[in-house]
Amino acid sequence: NVYLKVDTTTTLTVAATSASGAVTENAAASWTSSDSGNVSLQSANAGTITGANVGSSTITATSNGKTDTVNVTVYSVSSVTIPTTATVAKGSSITLSRTTATNPSGAVAGSGTWTSNNTSIATVTEKGVVTGVKEGTTKIYCTVDGIKSNECTVTVTAATNVTGVTV
């Protein structure tokens, strides 16, 4: 399956294998779409497709008399949700979760971009890992395919000083 956001374009390619086992990448092919209302082809001789409307289409590539297909699901992101509050100690890290609602449900959306409004208080990685830098409060949010999440208020507390451990 290929997931494609509405109004975006990507190029599919064909790898053709000869009888001797030689592989030709980007082999010439003709292309068709089972539903051009959802997935349109830029040209019947190129694998460039555009997500026209939410839905799916089977794309067929034919090269040297052989065919193969791929299902393309065109989706849109309707919402991105992250926790509304989180607390992390200075020098420690936590991972924020992200829920992305898509249409159709279950489509695999992009990875998202995480942002901290004040990186001097807390930083956040592309995987949502928040690290406390200094005591204070900042807002963090995640944007997926152009849709911004709610904000998460992150409070960074003083580092915990462990003075002993008992088992």
Side-chain angles (χ1 to χ4, degrees), residues 28-153:
S30 62
W31 300 84
T32 60
S33 173
S34 67
D35 189 337
S36 59
N38 292 335
V39 180
S40 62
L41 290 164
Q42 301 297 321
S43 164
N45 295 321
T48 303
I49 58 175
T50 299
N53 290 296
V54 170
S56 63
S57 179
T58 300
I59 303 298
T60 302
T62 303
S63 181
N64 294 315
K66 302 293 181 187
T67 63
D68 197 10
T69 62
V70 63
N71 186 54
V72 177
T73 300
V74 181
Y75 71 92
S76 64
V77 172
S78 53
S79 67
V80 180
T81 307
I82 62 175
T84 56
T85 61
T87 302
V88 62
K90 177 182 173 184
S92 295
S93 297
I94 59 169
T95 301
L96 296 178
S97 61
R98 176 194 97 201
T99 302
T100 304
T102 59
N103 179 20
S105 178
V108 178
S111 60
T113 303
W114 291 85
T115 305
S116 171
N117 283 350
N118 190 339
T119 56
S120 70
I121 293 177
T123 60
V124 61
T125 69
E126 69 278 355
K127 295 191 186 266
V129 177
V130 178
T131 301
V133 177
K134 74 175 184 180
E135 291 179 57
T137 303
T138 188
K139 306 269 186 204
I140 289 179
Y141 60 91
C142 182
T143 303
V144 178
D145 292 334
I147 304 298
K148 186 176 175 180
S149 72
N150 59 291
E151 291 184 332
C152 176
T153 301

